[in-house]
Amino acid sequence: MRTLIGRMRQRRSERRARRAARMPHRRKRKAALALSAGVMGLSAGAMHQAPQSQPAFAMQMIGPEERKPAAEMQPSDALMEILVEEEGVRHTVYRDAAGNPTVGVGHLVAASDGLRIGQRVGQDRILDFLEEDLKEAKRAVMRLTGDLPLYQHEFDALVDLVYNVGEGNLSEDRSPRLNEAIAAADYDAIAEELGYHQASGVNARGLVYRSERRAAIWAEGEYEDPRPARHQLETRRA
């Protein structure tokens, strides 16, 4: 698991490095656009209006965390580590508690994956599945919350919820109180609707612990595993 987490973080660092490498080009492009604007006859007064708003923006960037819409957020490294801990890492396709073919970090195998029960996959493909599943989980949270602003830890809790139970179980028909709480921007009421304890109609101890952990992430930004230390060790050995 730790190796996979390290690879996940390495990929994210590489993406950030590539974005940083593109920044000089973007700055040059902005400078060229500004020069073109000057040539096209914009007044000096117009050219100097934009910088006036920069100090306020800079203060916002270095100030305390603010809630933002899900569209502006990404799953944190802490959340990805939790997903690996909670879901485990399976290199062989198996059937989950609901009988669905599954592999990697809780990835539900689709027909397009071309995999069958018992087939093994490599770590790079597991990482690909995880990245795509996280992207879809983010999109699901965006659909669920709309413009509701969230702290990073609140967003992480909802991504974990989608990843764990699936977007279908969070519909207005299946989770009406959750949707009502989101519509009312009632953050306390949302916290009360993050618990899902059953798999195939049966209470599962692992889901109870995971729901407790998710609630702590939402309410307090606390990502620690609530399981007893001995149970944590057994889970990570599994």
Side-chain angles (χ1 to χ4, degrees):
M1 289 187 187
R2 295 299 172 187
T3 301
L4 184 66
I5 293 169
R7 293 283 296 280
M8 288 160 52
R9 289 175 175 165
Q10 181 181 353
R11 280 193 177 192
R12 177 166 285 190
S13 295
E14 289 171 351
R15 288 197 297 272
R16 288 171 178 165
R18 287 195 293 270
R19 286 197 295 269
R22 291 195 293 267
M23 287 304 293
H25 171 73
R26 291 175 180 172
R27 285 195 292 269
K28 289 178 182 177
R29 184 172 182 271
K30 288 181 179 179
L33 289 173
L35 179 61
S36 297
V39 171
M40 291 172 64
L42 287 181
S43 68
M47 292 296 290
H48 286 291
Q49 286 177 0
Q52 293 178 4
S53 63
Q54 288 181 355
F57 177 73
M59 289 176 64
Q60 181 179 5
M61 291 295 291
I62 64 175
E65 180 188 8
E66 295 186 5
R67 285 188 166 112
K68 299 181 292 186
E72 300 178 19
M73 309 182 81
Q74 296 294 336
S76 70
D77 288 347
L79 174 65
M80 290 194 293
E81 185 165 345
I82 282 174
L83 292 178
V84 171
E85 289 177 357
E86 294 287 349
E87 300 282 352
V89 182
R90 301 284 290 272
H91 288 263
T92 302
V93 181
Y94 66 99
R95 293 193 184 277
D96 66 8
N100 300 310
T102 308
V103 75
V105 185
H107 172 72
L108 294 180
V109 175
S112 58
D113 294 332
L115 296 172
R116 61 183 184 278
I117 299 295
Q119 189 170 350
R120 286 186 60 82
V121 299
Q123 190 154 298
D124 282 341
R125 195 166 188 194
I126 287 175
L127 283 168
D128 291 340
F129 285 147
L130 178 57
E131 289 182 352
E132 288 304 312
D133 289 344
L134 280 170
K135 288 178 183 177
E136 180 53 38
K138 173 186 171 172
R139 289 191 287 265
V141 171
M142 290 168 56
R143 289 188 287 267
L144 180 66
T145 60
D147 294 330
L148 179 73
L150 301 165
Y151 289 129
Q152 178 68 51
H153 58 89
E154 293 169 340
F155 172 77
D156 282 348
L158 290 176
V159 171
D160 177 71
L161 179 62
V162 170
Y163 204 101
N164 186 201
V165 307
E167 184 179 6
N169 285 315
L170 306 180
S171 66
E172 291 185 12
D173 290 339
R174 296 187 183 183
S175 298
R177 290 196 296 269
L178 174 62
N179 282 270
E180 289 168 3
I182 290 172
D186 188 337
Y187 293 91
D188 291 337
I190 294 172
E192 296 175 2
E193 302 303 323
L194 299 180
Y196 285 74
H197 300 164
Q198 293 190 342
S200 298
V202 178
N203 280 340
R205 183 175 61 169
L207 292 180
V208 172
Y209 280 126
R210 185 164 181 176
S211 294
E212 181 181 339
R213 188 177 197 175
R214 186 183 302 128
I217 293 171
W218 173 273
E220 305 167 11
E222 177 55 67
Y223 290 73
E224 292 300 318
D225 192 342
R227 297 170 178 82
R230 179 178 178 183
H231 192 274
Q232 290 184 34
L233 183 60
E234 291 171 352
T235 300
R236 289 167 186 170
R237 284 175 174 171

